[in-house]
């Protein structure tokens, strides 16, 4: 009986001691996670200041955050809302992983006259990874998040919707070698079913409102999408599409393929952003120039392309400007054709004029598409291209520059 009582007493005392010791340890783990989050994102230029963090199982709840950006004069923004990290674990190597970060739906007024109201639902980040302390290399920072998304966003003005979209989604897929080293990153970004009502612009800017009305752009609809791949070994960064596509306006697509953008280069960019270089001094400007030359030497361009496909905007613009000039569109087009070569006269680059002017004239006559592309015979460093810029004809050849319309 005595042994039983004593054993029970010892067990109770041990349990209470363990419980007492666990309380500060849990709070410390929650704060350590938040401190790591702030440190990791500071390397990427974010200045985060989280509120109080509490731990419940594998869930960490944070009372708000203040967000600023290094190197800017803008005042930090405080988000007084609860942030919830779920599925949080600390790995054996000292890194952290959280399955998901959720933010309560936003439903707030941001202006009073006129009344501006914003609502966003379904705000989420998934697959959050924080590398071990002080192991904040570019390769590690690339892997900090798998996906960021929101559901519908609506902005209203005095109770009437003026902007909305169905959803925003950014995601990355990571490829790894047999030794678990990061090999590649494939990323996608979309903003779907964007809609905007521009009919009220004229209330504050009558001239802009009149132009919007005459162009029939009081309501616009469209989508934005981007996709890209990055292989770390050769630093090949390829933006395979970057599309803004709006009904009755047009589609703009930008792509590029560059080499040499390795994690080492990205590390230099992070270091430069974090440095105390003063760009207003001669010494600071010299340092920035040297860093810029290093980047230009490291990076090479394999190709780049920007293309616009008209869906009705260009003819409306030409008709508008022609009417303002008091002539028909055909006469207006002929009147403005000499403008481009006149603007380029100071460049003293007849080869460039011969390349651009025919394409511009063809587009003015029949606005369908306009495209500017570069495709060097072999990848060429930006430093070499900068040196070649003194000779426009040589630069055109080095770039493999083409300018075309309606093709």
């Amino acid at each position: 009986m005595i042994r039983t009582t004593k054993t029970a007493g010892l067990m109770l005392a041990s349990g209470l001691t363990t419980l007492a010791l666990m309380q500060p340890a849990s709070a410390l783990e929650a704060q350590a996670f938040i401190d790591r989050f702030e440190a990791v994102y500071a390397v990427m230029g974010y200045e985060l200041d989280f509120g109080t963090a509490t731990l419940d199982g594998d869930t960490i709840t944070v009372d708000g955050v203040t967000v600023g950006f290094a190197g800017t004069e803008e005042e930090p923004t405080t988000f007084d809302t609860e942030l919830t990290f779920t599925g949080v674990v600390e790995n054996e190597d000292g890194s952290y992983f959280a399955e998901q970060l959720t933010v309560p739906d936003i439903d707030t007024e941001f202006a009073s006259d006129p009344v501006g109201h914003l609502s966003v639902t379904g705000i989420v980040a998934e697959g959050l990874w924080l590398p071990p302390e002080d192991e904040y290399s570019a390769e590690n920072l690339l892997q900090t998040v798998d996906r960021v998304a929101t559901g519908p966003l609506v902005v209203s003005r005095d109770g009437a919707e003026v902007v909305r979209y169905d959803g925003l989604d950014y995601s990355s897929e990571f490829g790894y070698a047999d030794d678990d080293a990061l090999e590649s990153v494939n990323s996608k970004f979309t903003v779907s079913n964007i809609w905007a009502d521009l009919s009220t612009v004229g209330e504050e800017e009558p001239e802009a409102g009149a132009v919007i009305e005459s162009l029939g752009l009081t309501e616009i609809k469209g989508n934005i999408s981007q996709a890209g791949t990055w292989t770390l070994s050769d630093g090949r960064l390829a933006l395979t599409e970057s599309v803004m596509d709006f009904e009755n306006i047009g589609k703009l697509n930008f792509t590029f393929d560059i080499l040499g953008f390795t994690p080492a280069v990205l590390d230099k960019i992070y270091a430069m952003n974090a440095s105390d270089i003063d760009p207003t001094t001669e010494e600071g400007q010299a340092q920035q120039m040297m860093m810029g030359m290093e980047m230009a030497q490291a990076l090479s361009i394999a190709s780049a392309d920007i293309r616009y496909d008209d869906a009705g905007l260009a003819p409306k613009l030409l008709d508008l400007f022609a009417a303002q000039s008091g002539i028909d569109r055909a006469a207006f087009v002929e009147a403005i054709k000499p403008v481009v070569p006149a603007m380029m006269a100071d460049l003293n680059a007849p080869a460039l004029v011969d390349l651009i002017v025919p394409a511009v004239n063809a587009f003015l006559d029949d606005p369908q598409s306009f495209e500017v592309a570069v495709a060097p015979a072999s990848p060429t460093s930006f430093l070499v291209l900068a040196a070649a810029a003194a000779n426009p004809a040589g630069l055109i050849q080095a770039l493999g520059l083409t300018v075309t319309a309606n093709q």
Side-chain angles (χ1 to χ4, degrees):
M1 184 67 175
I2 294 175
R3 175 179 292 181
T4 303
T5 304
K6 187 174 182 180
T7 300
L10 287 171
M11 290 177 64
L12 178 60
S14 298
L16 291 173
T17 301
T18 301
L19 182 62
L21 290 173
M22 284 179 64
Q23 298 308 309
S26 297
L28 177 62
E29 290 176 3
Q31 189 59 47
F33 172 81
I34 292 305
D35 290 344
R36 181 73 55 78
F37 205 107
E38 292 177 354
V40 168
Y41 280 82
V43 180
M44 294 184 279
Y46 295 90
E47 295 178 346
L48 304 179
D49 184 12
F50 287 98
T52 303
T54 56
L55 179 67
D56 181 9
D58 64 355
T59 298
I60 293 177
T61 304
V62 185
D63 293 334
V65 62
T66 299
V67 181
F69 299 95
T72 68
E73 298 180 357
E74 295 182 9
E75 288 294 320
T77 302
T78 298
F79 297 92
D80 188 16
T81 188
E82 187 176 83
L83 311 175
T84 303
F85 297 87
T86 54
V88 181
V89 296
E90 182 177 4
N91 300 312
E92 292 182 1
D93 63 355
S95 65
Y96 288 94
F97 179 79
E99 292 179 358
Q100 192 174 79
L101 163 64
T102 55
V103 180
D105 294 344
I106 296 173
D107 189 27
T108 184
E109 290 185 0
F110 60 86
S112 57
D113 187 20
V115 176
H117 191 273
L118 169 70
S119 68
V120 190
T121 61
I123 306 169
V124 65
E126 298 173 346
L128 298 162
W129 179 69
L130 303 176
E133 187 174 8
D134 295 329
E135 295 185 17
Y136 308 146
S137 66
E139 182 176 340
N140 282 343
L141 296 179
L142 288 172
Q143 306 172 67
T144 51
V145 63
D146 290 346
R147 179 174 179 259
V148 178
T150 78
L153 171 145
V154 177
V155 179
S156 63
R157 182 179 187 271
D158 283 340
E161 291 185 6
V162 291
V163 177
R164 68 171 182 261
Y165 66 62
D166 284 355
L168 176 151
D169 200 310
Y170 167 82
S171 63
S172 289
E173 294 183 356
F174 307 106
Y176 297 93
D178 293 338
D179 61 354
D180 292 333
L182 182 64
E183 279 190 326
S184 62
V185 183
N186 296 321
S187 300
K188 293 182 179 180
F189 172 76
T190 60
V191 185
S192 57
N193 294 326
I194 302 166
W195 173 88
D197 177 8
L198 304 182
S199 62
T200 60
V201 171
E203 296 178 15
E204 298 180 6
E205 300 181 29
E207 291 185 6
V211 172
I212 289 171
E213 185 77 28
S214 63
L215 293 175
L217 297 180
T218 54
E219 180 180 89
I220 62 173
K221 301 177 182 178
N223 298 277
I224 295 174
S225 62
Q226 290 183 344
T229 62
W230 188 9
T231 54
L232 276 64
S233 58
D234 58 0
R236 183 170 190 173
L237 179 62
L239 184 67
T240 53
E241 73 168 46
S242 180
V243 177
M244 299 175 63
D245 190 0
F246 286 84
E247 293 180 12
N248 303 316
I249 297 177
K251 179 170 70 173
L252 183 68
N253 188 20
F254 175 57
T255 65
F256 63 74
D257 187 357
I258 63 175
L259 299 172
F261 194 67
T262 62
V265 170
L266 188 55
D267 279 329
K268 289 182 180 180
I269 294 174
Y270 287 147
M272 182 169 62
N273 291 338
S275 67
D276 295 326
I277 295 176
D278 184 354
T280 63
T281 65
E282 290 186 5
E283 182 182 359
Q285 292 170 3
Q287 288 179 295
Q288 287 186 330
M289 182 178 294
M290 287 299 296
M291 290 180 179
M293 291 181 66
E294 287 183 20
M295 300 296 175
Q297 178 62 42
L299 301 179
S300 298
I301 185 166
S303 66
D305 183 279
I306 183 165
R307 179 185 174 94
Y308 171 72
D309 288 278
D310 188 73
L313 177 61
K316 291 177 181 178
L317 283 171
L318 291 173
D319 287 338
L320 173 65
F321 296 144
Q324 291 175 346
S325 301
I327 54 179
D328 62 24
R329 191 211 296 184
F332 176 75
V333 166
E334 292 305 315
I336 64 172
K337 281 183 178 180
V339 172
V340 174
M343 292 173 60
M344 299 178 65
D346 292 339
L347 297 177
N348 193 26
L352 195 59
V353 173
D354 291 343
L355 188 67
I356 294 176
V357 169
V360 171
N361 290 345
F363 184 79
L364 290 172
D365 287 334
D366 182 18
Q368 296 180 40
S369 68
F370 195 85
E371 185 171 12
V372 180
V374 297
S378 60
T380 306
S381 77
F382 285 93
L383 190 61
V384 169
L385 294 174
N391 176 13
L395 181 60
I396 291 171
Q397 185 174 2
L399 282 171
L401 177 66
T402 57
V403 181
T404 56
N406 305 335
Q407 293 185 10

